[in-house]
Amino acid sequence: MSVTNQPAGQTSKNPLTSVEEWDDFVAARYKKGKSGEEFRNYAPDANPSVTEFYRQNHSYQTLEFVRQKRQQYLKFDHGKKGIWAAAEYLNTLIDDSDPDTDLSQVEHLLQTAEAIRRDGQPRWFVLVGFVHDLGKVLCLYGEPQWAVVGDTFPVGCAYSDQIVFPEFFAANPDSRVPELQTKYGIYEPNCGIENVLMSWGHDEYIYQVSKNYLPEPAQYMLRYHSFYAAHKHGAYRHLMNKRDEEMFNWVVKFNPYDLYSKGANRPNLRDIRPFYEDLVAEFFPPEIDW
Ligand SMILES: [Fe+2]
Ligand SMILES: [Fe+2]
């Protein structure tokens, strides 16, 4: 089943040729060796479909939308599935781009995990690499791309100018609600990021689905891996508490593996599968609620 068959760059529900196009854009934005100032010069790297994607994301991710999606998905009534079954299910999200050069969803997960493993990180950290994008199954539930991927950001308070394409927030209905546009909005100073509603997407979903089985740093890595304004640019510290500050070091540690582990070598699933089967079984029951 493909939900990605959309002509690139057109005003469609899914402007990206695949959700990977967003990941590639972020990787280009933070290309190794780029200076801090150059991070902000993402426009030349942008392409029309990515721009249209962000226009939709920033326009439609309202506080109300987030509340509604949380109600819909945090009942976990989308079936029971093991981690492997979820990975195989995610792989049915077909990419329209060249199959010879583009990696399947599971290959990205394995490359991320293998890079973490090569660095001798703890087993739970390797597991984070393997599961971190499984929340993209939201696409297969019929969610539009703007509600699955994209840089995440808090809703219900002022938008940071450290968020990519901040100009697109002008079209978000929340931007015309003064109470939602103060520095703290509906939140208290340093209330803790767990009390802050983030734009809805694959980070929050995989965090919620897996949180009972993984240690706290893993939960932060999953939940905030697309929160670039915070983990790359230091924004929103005024909503974080001491614990968050500490835990965001882990989010920062995870990010390069996500961004830079794409290599020419395709992981050989047959060789590494036993390792990942054991790893998944060490932390997760045979099936979890999605
Ligand atoms: Fe992701
Ligand atoms: Fe990823």
Side-chain angles (χ1 to χ4, degrees):
M1 169 181 159
S2 172
V3 293
T4 58
N5 285 317
Q6 299 286 347
Q10 288 185 13
T11 309
S12 62
K13 190 174 148 235
N14 291 315
L16 305 174
T17 43
S18 76
V19 289
E20 283 289 284
E21 200 181 344
W22 168 72
D23 298 273
D24 293 343
F25 168 74
V26 177
R29 222 166 75 201
Y30 299 110
K31 214 160 61 209
K32 268 183 181 160
K34 264 194 181 180
S35 71
E37 254 320 286
E38 279 174 310
F39 288 151
R40 308 298 303 151
N41 292 333
Y42 46 78
D45 292 326
N47 57 47
S49 45
V50 167
T51 305
E52 170 59 15
F53 161 77
Y54 276 109
R55 190 195 64 74
Q56 294 182 5
N57 176 277
H58 291 6
S59 303
Y60 305 144
Q61 289 270 2
T62 61
L63 175 60
E64 185 45 40
F65 175 77
V66 169
R67 285 183 168 145
Q68 188 195 315
K69 287 294 140 184
R70 294 176 68 86
Q71 262 207 334
Q72 180 181 347
Y73 287 110
L74 304 189
K75 291 196 281 241
F76 308 107
D77 61 356
H78 286 74
K80 279 187 175 293
K81 249 193 199 76
I83 293 294
W84 279 99
E88 276 153 20
Y89 178 51
L90 181 63
N91 244 6
T92 65
L93 185 64
I94 302 298
D95 192 318
D96 287 343
S97 38
D98 185 352
D100 293 332
T101 55
D102 276 74
L103 297 166
S104 70
Q105 299 290 332
V106 170
E107 283 177 307
H108 166 61
L109 294 177
L110 286 171
Q111 284 198 331
T112 307
E114 284 289 277
I116 296 167
R117 178 151 77 125
R118 272 195 301 274
D119 278 358
Q121 304 286 8
R123 284 171 71 81
W124 58 263
F125 195 160
V126 179
L127 185 55
V128 167
F130 185 57
V131 304
H132 78 278
D133 276 341
L134 291 181
K136 289 179 180 173
V137 295
L138 287 167
C139 285
L140 295 164
Y141 300 164
E143 292 296 336
Q145 291 165 346
W146 59 263
V148 181
V149 294
D151 300 51
T152 58
F153 52 87
V155 294
C157 61
Y159 306 113
S160 165
D161 61 4
Q162 298 297 312
I163 304 166
V164 67
F165 290 112
E167 63 274 23
F168 289 143
F169 286 118
N172 189 306
D174 288 357
S175 71
R176 293 185 289 281
V177 182
E179 307 90 272
L180 303 183
Q181 290 310 313
T182 62
K183 183 176 178 186
Y184 295 101
I186 61 171
Y187 310 110
E188 298 295 324
N190 303 105
C191 60
I193 205 73
E194 68 173 327
N195 296 308
V196 171
L197 293 172
M198 300 292 296
S199 55
W200 179 255
H202 73 288
D203 300 54
E204 181 70 16
Y205 187 51
I206 189 58
Y207 156 73
Q208 291 283 355
V209 163
S210 66
K211 66 182 176 191
N212 296 334
Y213 311 104
L214 297 173
E216 195 180 14
Q219 295 172 27
Y220 270 78
M221 289 171 172
L222 294 175
R223 195 175 199 180
Y224 301 111
H225 75 270
S226 306
F227 191 9
Y228 283 87
H231 70 67
K232 275 280 191 199
H233 304 287
Y236 294 105
R237 288 297 183 269
H238 57 283
L239 295 175
M240 293 188 187
N241 58 28
K242 282 265 170 314
R243 190 84 185 141
D244 296 328
E245 298 272 0
E246 205 181 299
M247 287 293 137
F248 261 69
N249 292 326
W250 288 102
V251 183
V252 168
K253 218 169 181 177
F254 171 73
N255 183 248
Y257 296 111
D258 190 12
L259 286 185
Y260 308 126
S261 61
K262 263 190 190 170
N265 292 344
R266 305 185 86 128
N268 185 335
L269 184 57
R270 205 194 306 169
D271 292 349
I272 60 180
R273 187 163 178 137
F275 172 84
Y276 286 95
E277 298 238 347
D278 284 353
L279 184 61
V280 165
E282 186 181 328
F283 289 86
F284 287 102
E287 291 191 320
I288 61 173
D289 292 313
W290 292 80

